[in-house]
Amino acid sequence: MLSLRPTVLNSLFRGVAITLAALLIPACAPRQKLKREFPPLPKDVDITTKPPGRYGGIYISVDPGGGPNTFNYLVAEDATSMGAISTVLEGLVRRNAMTEEIIPGLAKSWEIGPDNKTYTFHLREGVKWSDGAPFSADDVVFTYACIYDERFPNRHASDYSIDGKPFKVEKIDDLTVRFITPDIYAPFLEMVGGGSILPKHALQKFVDNGTLMKAWNIGTHPREIVSTGMFRIASFKPGERLVYEPNPHYWRADSAGQRLPYLDLSITKFVRDQNASLAAFATGQSDSENVSPADVEWVRRGEKAHNYTVHERGPSTVCNFLWFNQNPEKDKSGKPFVEPYKLKWFQDVRFRQAVSYGINREGIIKGVLFGRGTPLWGPETPANTKWFNPDLQKYPYSPEQARELLKQAGFRWNEAGELFDSAGNRVSFSLNTNQENPIRQHMATVFKENMKDLGIEVKLQLLDFGTFVKKIGESYDYECGMLGLTGGGDPVGGMSVYLSSGRMHEWYPNQKKPATAWEARIDELMMKQLKTLNLAERKKYWFEVQRIMSEQLPFIYLITPNSYEGVKDRWENVEIPKAGGITWNLDEYYLK
Amino acid sequence: MKTYILRRLLLMIPMLLGVSLLVFVLVYISPGNYLDVLKAQRDIPAEFIAKKERELGLDRPWYMQYVSWLGRTVRGDFGESWSYRIPVIELLAQRAPATLALSLTSLVFAWAIAVPLGVFAAVYRNSIFDKLSALSAYAALSIPEFFLALLAVIFASQWGGFPTGGLSAIDHDYLSPVGQLWDYVHHLILPTIVLGIGGAAGLMRVMRTNMLDVIQSDYVMTARAKGVPGNVIMFRHVLRNAINPLVTSLGFAFSGLLSGAVLVENVMNYPGLGQLIFQAFMRKDRDVVMAAVIIGSSMLIIGNLIADILLAWVDPRIRYDK
Amino acid sequence: MTSDLLHQILRRRAGAFCLVALILFYVAAFFAPLLAPYATSDQDLTKTYHPPTGVVWHEGQLAVRLYKLVDPTCAKYEAEPGQFAPIHFWVKAPTYHFLGLIPVSHRLFGVEAPARLYLLGSDETGRDVFSRLLYGSRVSLTIGLIGILITTVIGLTVGGLAGYFGGVFDSVAMRGTELIMAIPGLYLIIALRAALAKYFDDSDQIFILIVVILSFIGWAGTARVIRGLTLSLRNRPFIYAAEALGQGPVTILWKHLFPNLFSYLIVTSMLSIPGYILGEAALSFLGIGIQEPSTSWGLMLSQVQDLKVFMLNFWWLLTPGLAIFITVILFNVLGDVVRDIVDPKLKTQV
């Protein structure tokens, strides 16, 4: 089995090689040997705790996002572009994906002032950009100047402001920066500290001539995109692949003094269709692959033959839920968004709880996901270990309980088993969701059948994404919606969802003042958790929000598919976290 | 002939105006816009969305947007892709070579299969071969293209002789020039077959009919009666006259050179224009959509013109000058 | 004319075979609610990806084998030896309205719950593939017919009038057709689909939307050909004779021109129906075709574009593909036969 040069490419190109041999063309000449430079390590080099490894190897991964749209930090909106950018542009701090601790990045240490609003970062000495230019406090100040620049509207500007007021960013000396937040801002280290730092020396000219938003696009020469990360970009072919090569000035090394990363190359393939990439992984042509629950079984059959393992990661971070439109307002023509008699059902917590009891989550998991999924009872999935509250009100499948609650709420059934409210209206509503996601489609059809068992008629309307977003966010002319959000991370990401004034408070957005007592309580808790740096206290507040959500059920949570990652066995130091990318420590990977 | 061509080309202008107006309005009235994806993200504040809307000019009435788009386009500026932030032309040019290559190879493949098969089927009419080829032609025309593409992917992953998708191998950049060329060829084979097989079946049936027509025509009968050797008749007279009508189809083939094949590109991960343009439609990246429509329409109109010219060329009875 | 054509078709083996097969398909589609053992939406989450149930002769009657889920992680079922559920005929079922009018409370055959009769296995939510295939055929088989009807009526009217009258009407109509034909088909379909979807929000109405869009693309070509044929017929003596008799243009078009265009229309119709069937499948694959909870062959096939179907050998999920394949072949062969009959010289191409 073992060839003299055991690279993954051998098997990949066997077909080519055979054909070429037949044609007597010496095409598969040995690859050009990769030249690596080893400039001296920076003074404040970060030494990994892992034992030293050895150089070499190519790591091939697949990204189903279809490839980055841009390498510009201010332009990027999608996860794939963000991922590529954060690979080359490090932040002041990093996150250990396994322990979820904040660890030093470009800053070797930091202090928080007694007012809990002043953060002083001490940068590593001797760190250089991949083109050899020194990294300094100027870069940090420059980055925030760009973000707050009115000429370059970008999403970070509002992330990095509190009530519209920006942070103050000052250079103390070349290696010290100070941030002052206008108010206490709990997730500062995670949100701000992890943000990419832009290179002043490379981008200043675009700021001067006002074309910063056009800089670093997918047509830019890779060498111009300088890096502070473990890799720099070697080549990029839109729609095909992105090749990373080691950043010769990377600021991490092992205890033997070898500069990380060990890899010769890291290549990300971009796909639009999961089939081809899955087929490639299952035949041993790539190093890692996200395997969907339904595919785990057959992909596992190839583990021995192709030396990989499919690892179970537990529940994913995708939170699927449905909700009833509880918006009592009227549109411009004076017509209520929701029929008043239906609004009455939707506002009745017993009705919502009955619906929740009526959903056969276990059935979906067993049938559709081959048993590889987890029911959800609250806003966080168990993947978010740090913030997940396991102690919530649960609604296991029980049509009896559902009927009992409906009866209490004044509903009754006719002889044919159809449900009517106390005023004699047939209980019927339409469920809107977008059509792009197959698992959500199954959940919608199962929901329809489950409700039919309770005597409730559900009409399914699968809409295209644009129409759906408009309905739930602008015109509000719908009754019930279903959505999946990729959650995880800090609760601050949910401010617009849980605050009653929030834009994505789907069941009744943009409220002037909270419509119910429990919404008022959630508002209070969300603000409290934002204004303290004490993690235990924040947890307590956020846990209570989750508890209220599970009791009041403005969102009826459904299921999350479990997540699986197939990885080749030949890599040392693979650490698969509960959530997020598995290559967070790719700089420590080396061949066994 | 020259005035005819000129007139047809001039007619393109009002036609493209009409096409662009129609598509622009359709894109405008379809619900939502480019910012939908942002609106659905929970951590994007409303002010930022409003700011973006102003920046992209999406807050203005549609006719204003159209006029400013038209003004730019007639000056040769197709605008900028909103999601990629680069000029549309640059974006399309990145993908065009891959699409062009696949269009050409599948065209060549279709002809290379169709002409000989059609000839044989006609010459050995009603033989087993004729019936088999007719049957396979029916089959080829009846399989949904995307399904054929999926079968190709599965075939490649099970049998292993071909790549499961894409345009080039992972280590393409590190191969020798000859190796790189071969790498492209190797990746093109399956998509070419998948895309070309339908065209081949259609062409073959036409070729067979044409051949039969010519074989049964008076002048071939006469030549045969005069004792001209069979091979000479076949190649000098029959084949040439039977292929002529097919030549006009090259004009239509030109129309499709850059349109790309969304279905096959998606399933086989082929980084062509079809994929990009479909994504732009879904994402409502307006300037990319409009540029694609303008280019596609121009190609179609010019392709039809070429077909007409070729028709006049192969059939001297047709004249366009009046 | 029609009966003569029918007679001629039936005299040819291929023609007779295709015609009979297609008629059978249509009859099955028409009576789908009676023939299908289950409704399209009937789920059974404990029996997902169930293989086709074996049908055997047991104790003097037809019966299905019962199965046990032996490995839920890969949906592996095994028949339980000696366990059967008898198949009953004309069984009681929830009442539904056949064709929306006649209340029926029986189905042709079925088994007693909780046993399930899966002639062609079940899908990812335990719905009966056979039933869905039957109901889906209603969409896939009619989409071509309705599409052809619409394109023919519009094409005939516009093309006929344009050819008959000429002048301003002619040039306006022809510029219109050129405009439609100048837009790459797929782009126009996607744009129309996105723009019009909000007016067709029910899933049943999506079917109408798809037909309307496909016909909107298709009528232009028909109109142009009809116009050309009308132009050439326009100067025939029998038209002048009709005009001299004082018949109006619509009458002339209908009585004199239409019968002369019949052979062309019948051939192009036959040969363009496959385009509609494949078109619907392609749209469904792109996610912009028929939507759940409706069903169509294209939708069913697009939902199983998945490696696990092949790797775990859920072959029965591919039967919609086979159905599309067979139907399209039948239409193509029949179209060729009809073409040979009505106009051996007419080289209509697929």
Side-chain angles (χ1 to χ4, degrees):
Chain A
M1 262 334 270
L2 280 171
S3 77
L4 286 175
R5 287 187 310 135
T7 80
V8 67
L9 299 164
N10 278 357
S11 64
L12 179 52
F13 292 102
R14 207 173 41 220
V16 184
I18 291 167
T19 322
L20 284 179
L23 291 172
L24 292 173
I25 302 172
C28 264
R31 284 204 325 266
Q32 297 161 25
K33 191 73 194 142
L34 288 155
K35 275 184 287 187
R36 278 189 72 161
E37 318 150 49
F38 291 100
L41 295 171
K43 178 164 173 279
D44 282 329
V45 66
D46 185 50
I47 304 288
T48 171
T49 51
K50 304 256 167 49
R54 56 195 172 85
Y55 285 113
I58 297 175
Y59 187 86
I60 300 168
S61 57
V62 180
D63 185 331
N69 290 352
T70 178
F71 295 108
N72 188 318
Y73 181 60
L74 300 184
V75 175
E77 276 156 13
D78 59 298
T80 304
S81 306
M82 289 292 207
I85 292 166
S86 62
T87 304
V88 292
L89 296 179
E90 279 285 352
L92 294 175
V93 301
R94 313 198 305 155
R95 216 170 125 259
N96 180 326
M98 302 305 289
T99 61
E100 307 210 22
E101 276 169 338
I102 302 291
I103 53 174
L106 289 171
K108 62 180 175 191
S109 63
W110 56 90
E111 297 114 36
I112 304 171
D115 60 352
N116 281 340
K117 293 182 199 168
T118 313
Y119 299 79
T120 311
F121 290 94
H122 303 282
L123 306 184
R124 287 179 196 280
E125 196 179 336
V127 172
K128 288 189 170 121
W129 292 90
S130 58
D131 60 354
F135 168 80
S136 78
D138 289 327
D139 291 312
V140 182
V141 175
F142 170 80
T143 302
Y144 284 86
C146 291
I147 287 172
Y148 295 132
D149 193 322
E150 282 291 320
R151 289 175 297 166
F152 316 126
N154 65 83
R155 57 183 292 173
H156 308 295
S158 46
D159 282 351
Y160 297 157
S161 313
I162 297 172
D163 300 329
K165 277 176 276 182
F167 306 149
K168 225 194 272 168
V169 186
E170 303 166 336
K171 170 182 174 181
I172 307 295
D173 60 46
D174 269 354
L175 293 175
T176 317
V177 239
R178 182 186 295 148
F179 285 70
I180 301 167
T181 60
D183 200 347
I184 296 177
Y185 186 62
F188 182 89
L189 273 184
E190 198 140 339
M191 298 281 291
V192 186
S196 292
I197 300 299
L198 305 174
K200 183 177 183 188
H201 69 286
L203 292 175
Q204 183 67 53
K205 55 177 187 261
F206 299 110
V207 174
D208 294 341
N209 65 18
T211 60
L212 183 61
M213 298 303 269
K214 293 187 203 299
W216 284 22
N217 60 46
I218 54 168
T220 303
H221 190 275
R223 271 290 166 274
E224 286 175 34
I225 299 173
V226 297
S227 162
T228 45
M230 58 182 103
F231 294 115
R232 62 180 175 187
I233 297 169
S235 75
F236 173 56
K237 292 217 165 111
E240 288 191 74
R241 77 186 92 83
L242 180 57
V243 180
Y244 294 105
E245 61 188 6
N247 171 4
H249 292 283
Y250 189 48
W251 43 271
R252 296 193 73 204
D254 64 19
S255 53
Q258 302 185 93
R259 182 178 241 121
L260 300 180
Y262 298 114
L263 294 173
D264 279 340
L265 292 173
S266 159
I267 303 178
T268 306
K269 259 172 59 152
F270 302 117
V271 299
R272 282 266 173 233
D273 184 276
Q274 204 80 62
N275 281 330
S277 71
L278 196 54
F281 176 77
T283 47
Q285 299 174 28
S286 65
D287 283 287
S288 65
E289 172 79 24
N290 187 325
V291 183
S292 77
D295 291 312
V296 170
E297 197 55 37
W298 69 264
V299 174
R300 276 199 174 141
R301 291 177 193 169
E303 283 183 336
K304 285 240 166 59
H306 298 289
N307 303 310
Y308 59 75
T309 308
V310 179
H311 302 272
E312 164 146 21
R313 305 176 67 184
S316 71
T317 52
V318 181
C319 177
N320 292 293
F321 56 90
L322 62 87
W323 74 95
F324 294 104
N325 186 356
Q326 299 186 38
N327 195 329
E329 293 170 19
K330 297 186 171 73
D331 64 13
K332 281 190 203 102
S333 65
K335 193 171 149 269
F337 293 128
V338 184
E339 289 270 3
Y341 72 89
K342 291 190 179 181
L343 187 66
K344 235 192 240 162
W345 317 331
F346 299 161
Q347 287 177 337
D348 189 333
V349 66
R350 289 168 296 184
F351 177 77
R352 300 196 295 268
Q353 288 178 336
V355 167
S356 192
Y357 274 119
I359 301 171
N360 187 355
R361 296 178 180 82
E362 285 300 330
I364 303 177
I365 291 168
K366 273 205 191 99
V368 181
L369 296 176
F370 296 79
R372 302 196 159 96
T374 308
L376 289 181
W377 313 110
E380 293 289 2
T381 82
N384 196 358
T385 39
K386 190 166 158 193
W387 296 105
F388 171 69
N389 180 359
D391 179 30
L392 297 177
Q393 183 159 338
K394 299 187 172 75
Y395 303 87
Y397 182 48
S398 165
E400 300 75 35
Q401 202 111 6
R403 282 165 186 278
E404 188 53 42
L405 277 164
L406 286 171
K407 219 179 279 168
Q408 282 172 24
F411 292 89
R412 59 195 166 71
W413 288 266
N414 70 4
E415 279 162 23
E418 292 165 339
L419 189 68
F420 291 82
D421 68 8
S422 50
N425 299 301
R426 172 84 214 268
V427 181
S428 158
F429 56 83
S430 47
L431 170 71
N432 287 254
T433 186
N434 62 319
Q435 60 200 210
E436 284 85 3
N437 182 319
I439 290 184
R440 207 172 310 143
Q441 277 196 22
H442 292 318
M443 283 191 274
T445 58
V446 171
F447 177 69
K448 180 184 153 86
E449 290 301 298
N450 286 164
M451 289 302 108
K452 201 167 129 194
D453 294 342
L454 294 182
I456 299 173
E457 182 189 39
V458 179
K459 296 184 197 108
L460 277 194
Q461 287 187 353
L462 296 167
L463 307 168
D464 58 70
F465 192 64
T467 316
F468 184 55
V469 169
K470 193 164 182 173
K471 257 187 199 296
I472 63 176
E474 272 170 52
S475 59
Y476 308 125
D477 54 336
Y478 71 100
E479 293 170 340
C480 176
M482 187 188 280
L483 196 63
L485 288 179
T486 306
D490 196 279
V492 73
M495 292 302 281
S496 66
V497 179
Y498 302 105
L499 286 185
S500 60
S501 58
R503 188 173 60 83
M504 301 207 48
H505 194 72
E506 306 294 2
W507 65 92
Y508 180 13
N510 307 320
Q511 298 176 27
K512 303 230 165 34
K513 63 177 205 256
T516 59
W518 55 267
E519 282 174 280
R521 175 69 184 151
I522 291 182
D523 284 2
E524 189 190 335
L525 290 165
M526 288 307 285
M527 291 320 288
K528 270 190 174 161
Q529 65 82 23
L530 190 65
K531 304 277 156 152
T532 172
L533 296 190
N534 182 332
L535 182 62
E537 226 171 290
R538 292 192 68 201
K539 258 188 175 166
K540 199 182 77 195
Y541 298 139
W542 177 232
F543 273 28
E544 192 183 334
V545 172
Q546 295 181 50
R547 176 95 208 158
I548 295 174
M549 289 296 284
S550 77
E551 284 163 5
Q552 295 295 334
L553 287 182
F555 288 163
I556 295 172
Y557 297 96
L558 302 166
I559 56 162
T560 188
N562 289 354
S563 169
Y564 296 82
E565 191 78 29
V567 189
K568 281 245 177 189
D569 297 332
R570 62 199 187 117
W571 297 105
E572 196 63 66
N573 282 341
V574 175
E575 287 185 287
I576 301 178
K578 280 265 185 197
I582 69 152
T583 53
W584 66 278
N585 66 335
L586 195 57
D587 51 355
E588 294 167 344
Y589 279 34
Y590 64 91
L591 286 170
K592 274 179 187 166
Chain B
M1 196 68 178
K2 258 187 208 142
T3 44
Y4 172 76
I5 296 176
L6 202 66
R7 210 182 62 218
R8 288 276 297 260
L9 287 178
L10 275 178
L11 262 177
M12 263 179 81
I13 296 169
M15 200 58 84
L16 288 180
L17 267 179
V19 167
S20 66
L21 187 63
L22 177 66
V23 175
F24 199 94
V25 170
L26 285 178
V27 171
Y28 178 80
I29 62 174
S30 61
N33 59 29
Y34 172 73
L35 300 174
D36 290 341
V37 174
L38 278 187
K39 285 180 194 160
Q41 288 181 25
R42 56 181 193 173
D43 51 354
I44 305 275
E47 308 89 68
F48 176 59
I49 290 169
K51 212 187 256 179
K52 276 292 249 196
E53 209 151 55
R54 271 198 305 282
E55 188 202 338
L56 304 180
L58 287 169
D59 53 340
R60 292 179 302 161
W62 71 269
Y63 48 87
M64 299 275 288
Q65 294 185 34
Y66 179 69
V67 168
S68 71
W69 173 84
L70 192 65
R72 259 193 299 109
T73 307
V74 291
R75 289 200 302 272
D77 174 10
F78 276 107
E80 190 185 65
S81 158
W82 291 337
S83 53
Y84 291 87
R85 282 294 177 145
I86 61 170
V88 171
I89 287 301
E90 220 175 280
L91 185 66
L92 296 180
Q94 280 179 343
R95 301 289 187 104
T99 289
L100 202 59
L102 183 55
S103 301
L104 287 175
T105 52
S106 48
L107 191 66
V108 170
F109 171 78
W111 276 71
I113 298 273
V115 172
L117 283 187
V119 169
F120 278 119
V123 171
Y124 302 104
R125 186 144 88 117
N126 291 333
S127 67
I128 291 283
F129 174 80
D130 185 21
K131 293 204 166 115
L132 267 182
S133 68
L135 203 67
S136 7
Y138 279 127
L141 288 171
S142 307
I143 301 184
E145 215 173 45
F146 62 88
F147 192 65
L148 203 59
L150 183 76
L151 289 181
V153 169
I154 287 164
F155 166 79
S157 71
Q158 295 296 79
W159 187 69
F162 290 97
T164 49
L167 173 66
S168 59
I170 283 285
D171 69 345
H172 182 85
D173 299 340
Y174 304 93
L175 294 172
S176 66
V178 184
Q180 289 189 341
L181 185 71
W182 168 251
D183 185 40
Y184 281 134
V185 173
H186 192 220
H187 279 78
L188 268 168
I189 293 174
L190 281 184
T192 297
I193 294 174
V194 169
L195 215 52
I197 209 155
L203 269 179
M204 193 210 93
R205 285 158 50 100
V206 179
M207 187 68 207
R208 177 179 175 275
T209 323
N210 289 345
M211 277 294 283
L212 286 177
D213 273 2
V214 182
I215 288 175
Q216 288 156 354
S217 66
D218 295 342
Y219 65 92
V220 173
M221 295 288 188
T222 317
R224 196 166 287 175
K226 275 182 173 169
V228 180
N231 283 343
V232 179
I233 297 180
M234 244 343 137
F235 289 100
R236 188 168 300 167
H237 303 284
V238 181
L239 196 55
R240 255 178 59 186
N241 284 308
I243 287 188
N244 273 349
L246 277 187
V247 171
T248 56
S249 77
L250 284 179
F252 300 115
F254 173 84
S255 315
L257 279 185
L258 282 181
S259 62
V262 191
L263 298 166
V264 175
E265 285 179 12
N266 267 348
V267 179
M268 305 192 85
N269 274 325
Y270 192 83
L273 278 172
Q275 215 182 47
L276 181 83
I277 293 168
F278 182 68
Q279 220 55 43
F281 262 103
M282 293 292 112
R283 195 69 177 78
K284 300 207 172 70
D285 195 344
R286 194 195 62 207
D287 286 3
V288 181
V289 166
M290 291 307 293
V293 168
I294 294 295
I295 293 171
S297 291
S298 310
M299 299 281 286
L300 246 164
I301 298 172
I302 295 173
N304 284 341
L305 178 59
I306 294 178
D308 288 346
I309 295 169
L310 287 174
L311 192 64
W313 182 60
V314 298
D315 188 346
R317 283 171 302 178
I318 298 173
R319 301 181 60 86
Y320 294 115
D321 304 281
K322 277 184 210 157
Chain C
M1 178 116 194
T2 324
S3 61
D4 185 41
L5 180 64
L6 201 62
H7 194 71
Q8 294 238 34
I9 294 175
L10 290 175
R11 269 179 42 198
R12 293 162 205 241
R13 235 184 331 167
F17 177 79
C18 292
L19 191 64
V20 171
L22 280 174
I23 288 173
L24 279 179
F25 276 27
Y26 276 93
V27 169
F30 186 77
F31 290 106
L34 271 171
L35 295 175
Y38 301 98
T40 50
S41 56
D42 279 356
Q43 301 176 334
D44 186 343
L45 290 172
T46 61
K47 294 189 175 69
T48 58
Y49 299 107
H50 197 289
T53 44
V55 176
V56 290
W57 190 256
H58 178 71
E59 289 173 357
Q61 57 180 332
L62 281 176
V64 292
R65 287 180 175 283
L66 296 184
Y67 291 75
K68 200 172 85 192
L69 181 58
V70 288
D71 185 356
T73 60
C74 60
K76 198 170 158 215
Y77 293 82
E78 262 170 26
E80 294 192 82
Q83 299 261 42
F84 301 96
I87 296 179
H88 300 295
F89 287 89
W90 203 243
V91 291
K92 196 106 177 77
T95 310
Y96 58 91
H97 290 264
F98 187 56
L99 302 177
L101 290 172
I102 314 157
V104 184
S105 57
H106 287 82
R107 295 209 165 106
L108 191 61
F109 59 93
V111 297
E112 245 166 74
R116 279 268 197 165
L117 171 62
Y118 290 130
L119 288 180
L120 288 175
S122 79
D123 70 2
E124 51 276 75
T125 49
R127 299 179 295 196
D128 179 27
V129 172
F130 176 72
S131 301
R132 289 178 65 75
L133 207 58
L134 273 177
Y135 278 98
S137 71
R138 297 180 136 196
V139 167
S140 300
L141 290 175
T142 50
I143 204 159
L145 291 191
I146 300 178
I148 288 301
L149 197 70
I150 299 176
T151 50
T152 309
V153 169
I154 301 179
L156 206 59
T157 317
V158 175
L161 291 177
Y164 186 82
F165 286 117
V168 182
F169 183 82
D170 183 27
S171 41
V172 169
M174 287 309 105
R175 293 301 87 74
T177 58
E178 277 163 21
L179 186 69
I180 291 170
M181 291 169 80
I183 307 178
L186 184 68
Y187 301 167
L188 189 55
I189 291 176
I190 298 172
L192 280 170
R193 172 72 166 77
L196 300 179
K198 60 181 162 183
Y199 304 109
F200 299 83
D201 44 7
D202 212 46
S203 78
D204 297 336
Q205 295 171 347
I206 295 282
F207 166 65
I208 300 167
L209 174 65
I210 303 288
V211 183
V212 167
I213 290 175
L214 289 177
S215 320
F216 182 77
I217 310 280
W219 73 270
T222 316
R224 289 183 76 84
V225 178
I226 299 280
R227 171 182 170 271
L229 292 173
T230 314
L231 269 180
S232 67
L233 290 170
R234 176 78 181 82
N235 297 325
R236 297 279 185 84
F238 67 91
I239 302 288
Y240 289 128
E243 276 181 334
L245 286 172
Q247 292 179 339
V250 176
T251 323
I252 293 178
L253 220 53
W254 180 251
K255 278 207 164 151
H256 301 287
L257 287 176
F258 179 66
N260 282 292
L261 299 175
F262 181 76
S263 57
Y264 164 79
L265 286 176
I266 193 99
V267 173
T268 45
S269 303
M270 284 289 174
L271 293 177
S272 47
I273 285 177
Y276 284 87
I277 299 177
L278 293 175
E280 185 266 322
L283 288 186
S284 291
F285 174 74
L286 288 174
I288 54 180
I290 304 291
Q291 298 293 345
E292 288 275 358
S294 294
T295 171
S296 79
W297 291 348
L299 178 68
M300 290 171 77
L301 185 60
S302 69
Q303 285 174 338
V304 297
Q305 292 288 307
D306 212 330
L307 282 179
K308 70 167 175 295
V309 172
F310 294 85
M311 301 303 174
L312 297 177
N313 199 17
F314 299 146
W315 56 269
W316 56 90
L317 291 175
L318 298 171
T319 46
L322 192 68
I324 292 177
F325 183 68
I326 292 175
T327 311
V328 171
I329 286 196
L330 289 176
F331 269 112
N332 275 332
V333 175
L334 188 63
D336 281 354
V337 169
V338 173
R339 182 184 60 197
D340 287 348
I341 295 168
V342 298
D343 191 357
K345 280 276 154 207
L346 185 78
K347 276 179 247 152
T348 319
Q349 272 127 38
V350 182

